[in-house]
Amino acid sequence: MSPTETTSSTRREIAVEIPVEEVNRETASLIQKYQKLARIPGFRRGHVPASIIRQRFSEDLKSDVVEALVPRYFRKEADKQGLIPVSQPQVTDLHLKDNEPLRFKASFEVMPEIKVEGYKELRAEKPEVTVTDEEVEQSLNGVREQHATFTSVEGRALADGDYAQVSLDGKPKDGEDKPVHRDEVLVEIAGKNTMPEFTENLRGASAGDDRVFEVTYAQDAQEQRLAGKTFTYTVKVQSIKQKTLPELDDQFATQLGDFKTLDEVRQRIREGMESERKHAAEHEAKDKLVAELVKRTEFEVPEALVDRQIDVRLERGLRALAAQGMKAEDIKKMDLNRLRVGQREQALQEVKASLVLDKIAEEEKIEVSDEEIDREIDALATQSKQTPEAIRARLTRDGALDRIRNRIRSEKTLDFLYRQSA
């Protein structure tokens, strides 16, 4: 039997016929199972005649025969024809009658034929990475801020530049959101990151004072659950503190690690920033290489693969929203169908990129060794404070080892493309 190619280059349809002997054998086996379990008035359990089972459970038997034989024979026929399905088959024209072969048609998607050409001629952008002295000093000042000390001030009220150590209770004005409670919060009076309402209401307060005021958060507030909301805050000033920064000298350098001078710290900061920028530039250049490859390589992408990638993107996005504080009931109210449509184009590009890189890896014989998988598992184990054995067992159970192998293979292929484009 030859597959029928439909109007789509990735869709195939095959006709399958299961011999009558196989259908009868499966039916007889199922009847025996039914006989053991069936409870029919007038018959002892396990002694119901086959003819009664056939009569009583006719439709159930047919359904079970189809469930047992169709997937098995579909796989057998697809293998025989050298076809690798990437989607679940859609079964049509099912024919099942007593003492006749079981016939059906199955429509499914297969991987496209991909011809990748010209990838060795691609050239990646490799911009010059620079770090200025000003940027190094800015970063050093950030480190200095982290080592600031705070001392209590007695006998006067809060003034600009002071830090109020407060406890606060915030109640949502609409009453729908959860109240906010925080202890031992440091609020910089007139600080550039301090909300104006806190500065205006706490300026002039003394230790032991209470202040009650409203704060309306912007729509683009960093904390999702506060965006656009108005809270009434009751703030108790516990103490007034002043910040003292350490001197920027060689003695400060020795507190930061294995350094003797401040210049050594500056050098380490510069190297770290250069490395980070090189990595970012390389990442961007690789993205452009892949985008160019996808643009040059025309092929049809199976819808099943795009749907799977949309699922991955949606799951990732919803997890991020939950991590930002969005409530589960609000997530459930979201229009998932609209979100799926919005994710489709990006998912399509990601699948195309993955397939193109797979093809290049095949051409260039790029493989992933067991040692590389072991290193990845060891890294995951260290990160999650579990044993490598526990991580491997979980990944094997979830079927994720292949995904990790494919990701490492894609990364190696991208590295190859980037290096050879120099």
Side-chain angles (χ1 to χ4, degrees):
M1 289 170 226
S2 62
T4 307
E5 189 167 315
T6 60
T7 49
S8 159
S9 63
T10 60
R11 189 161 279 282
R12 299 287 183 278
E13 188 180 78
I14 54 177
V16 182
E17 183 173 292
I18 303 173
V20 67
E21 308 80 50
E22 186 61 40
V23 178
N24 289 342
R25 193 181 304 124
E26 188 64 38
T27 306
S29 169
L30 285 164
I31 286 171
Q32 284 181 348
K33 284 181 189 170
Y34 273 61
Q35 281 178 308
K36 285 176 189 170
L37 301 169
R39 290 185 176 185
I40 295 176
F43 296 98
R44 276 187 300 134
R45 190 171 178 178
H47 289 77
V48 183
S51 58
I52 300 290
I53 295 288
R54 277 183 183 277
Q55 185 186 334
R56 280 289 182 93
F57 300 103
S58 168
E59 290 308 308
D60 290 325
L61 281 168
K62 280 182 181 178
S63 176
D64 287 353
V65 165
V66 166
E67 206 173 296
L69 296 181
V70 165
R72 194 193 314 163
Y73 274 82
F74 165 71
R75 282 194 299 272
K76 202 171 171 184
E77 188 60 37
D79 286 348
K80 194 166 120 189
Q81 297 190 21
L83 298 168
I84 301 170
V86 293
S87 68
Q88 288 297 320
Q90 292 175 315
V91 175
T92 56
D93 299 353
L94 189 69
H95 173 93
L96 176 57
K97 287 190 177 173
D98 289 345
N99 296 313
E100 287 187 24
L102 193 164
R103 299 186 191 91
F104 65 91
K105 285 181 182 173
S107 171
F108 55 95
E109 290 184 296
V110 294
M111 281 294 190
E113 281 292 321
I114 302 174
K115 200 172 180 184
V116 184
E117 292 176 322
Y119 61 86
K120 287 188 176 172
E121 283 73 60
L122 284 176
R123 292 293 166 260
E125 288 178 16
K126 294 194 170 76
E128 216 32 62
V129 168
T130 54
V131 174
T132 65
D133 292 345
E134 288 78 13
E135 287 170 325
V136 171
E137 290 308 311
Q138 203 176 347
S139 182
L140 183 58
N141 279 321
V143 175
R144 187 188 186 201
E145 286 283 347
Q146 289 164 18
H147 288 76
T149 53
F150 294 88
T151 50
S152 292
V153 177
E154 307 287 342
R156 68 170 177 82
L158 279 162
D160 289 4
D162 287 339
Y163 284 78
Q165 184 173 306
V166 304
S167 64
L168 56 84
D169 286 283
K171 290 183 180 171
K173 209 168 176 190
D174 60 11
E176 285 180 19
D177 294 277
K178 286 181 185 170
V180 174
H181 176 77
R182 298 277 187 277
D183 281 316
E184 297 192 348
V185 177
L186 279 178
V187 179
E188 184 185 3
I189 306 303
K192 63 176 182 180
N193 296 320
T194 304
M195 293 192 72
E197 294 92 336
F198 278 85
T199 289
E200 287 155 16
N201 287 282
L202 294 178
R203 186 190 282 128
S206 298
D209 286 354
D210 287 340
R211 292 283 187 270
V212 179
F213 54 91
E214 283 186 357
V215 174
T216 300
Y217 290 90
Q219 290 294 345
D220 59 353
Q222 201 171 1
E223 206 172 332
Q224 184 89 24
R225 69 192 186 91
L226 299 177
K229 303 285 170 64
T230 298
F231 277 72
T232 302
Y233 281 103
T234 302
V235 180
K236 183 173 188 65
V237 179
Q238 294 160 329
S239 62
I240 298 169
K241 293 186 180 289
Q242 273 189 329
K243 181 168 78 169
T244 307
L245 291 169
E247 286 296 324
L248 279 178
D249 54 21
D250 292 346
Q251 189 183 342
F252 176 56
T254 61
Q255 294 172 32
L256 299 177
D258 189 19
F259 302 105
K260 289 177 184 162
T261 67
L262 201 60
D263 280 341
E264 286 179 18
V265 176
R266 288 189 176 100
Q267 185 56 29
R268 180 74 61 84
I269 288 172
R270 185 181 294 278
E271 285 167 4
M273 290 174 85
E274 281 174 353
S275 170
E276 203 175 290
R277 286 179 189 184
K278 274 178 190 165
H279 180 75
E282 188 176 310
H283 186 76
E284 192 180 336
K286 285 176 178 176
D287 281 350
K288 285 181 181 174
L289 274 179
V290 174
E292 182 59 31
L293 269 171
V294 168
K295 202 165 87 178
R296 290 181 179 203
T297 315
E298 278 299 316
F299 58 93
E300 190 175 347
V301 179
E303 272 306 310
L305 297 186
V306 179
D307 280 340
R308 257 173 250 163
Q309 189 60 19
I310 290 173
D311 288 341
V312 168
R313 289 179 64 82
L314 268 185
E315 191 185 331
R316 201 187 298 146
L318 295 176
R319 269 206 313 269
L321 288 174
Q324 285 167 24
M326 189 182 248
K327 291 184 285 190
E329 54 265 37
D330 289 335
I331 289 174
K332 281 176 189 166
K333 286 178 199 164
M334 295 174 82
D335 184 345
L336 289 185
N337 285 332
R338 189 174 61 80
L339 285 174
R340 289 187 74 83
V341 171
Q343 296 287 337
R344 192 181 184 286
E345 189 50 42
Q346 195 60 39
L348 174 64
Q349 294 309 311
E350 285 169 355
V351 173
K352 275 189 168 183
S354 173
L355 293 176
V356 167
L357 288 173
D358 275 353
K359 188 66 181 175
I360 294 172
E362 197 182 293
E363 299 268 335
E364 298 294 332
K365 297 182 173 49
I366 295 169
E367 295 300 337
V368 176
S369 67
D370 290 342
E371 288 77 19
E372 286 170 303
I373 296 285
D374 290 343
R375 278 201 297 275
E376 186 76 11
I377 287 171
D378 287 344
L380 287 169
T382 306
Q383 199 180 325
S384 60
K385 296 182 177 143
Q386 294 179 49
T387 64
E389 292 74 23
I391 293 288
R392 185 180 286 278
R394 178 173 62 78
L395 294 174
T396 305
R397 190 175 62 245
D398 298 346
L401 275 180
D402 278 345
R403 287 203 298 274
I404 287 176
R405 191 178 290 276
N406 290 339
R407 177 173 59 73
I408 296 173
R409 193 177 185 219
S410 286
E411 285 167 3
K412 286 177 77 172
T413 308
L414 257 177
D415 283 339
F416 160 78
L417 282 171
Y418 185 72
R419 283 196 313 274
Q420 65 91 43
S421 73

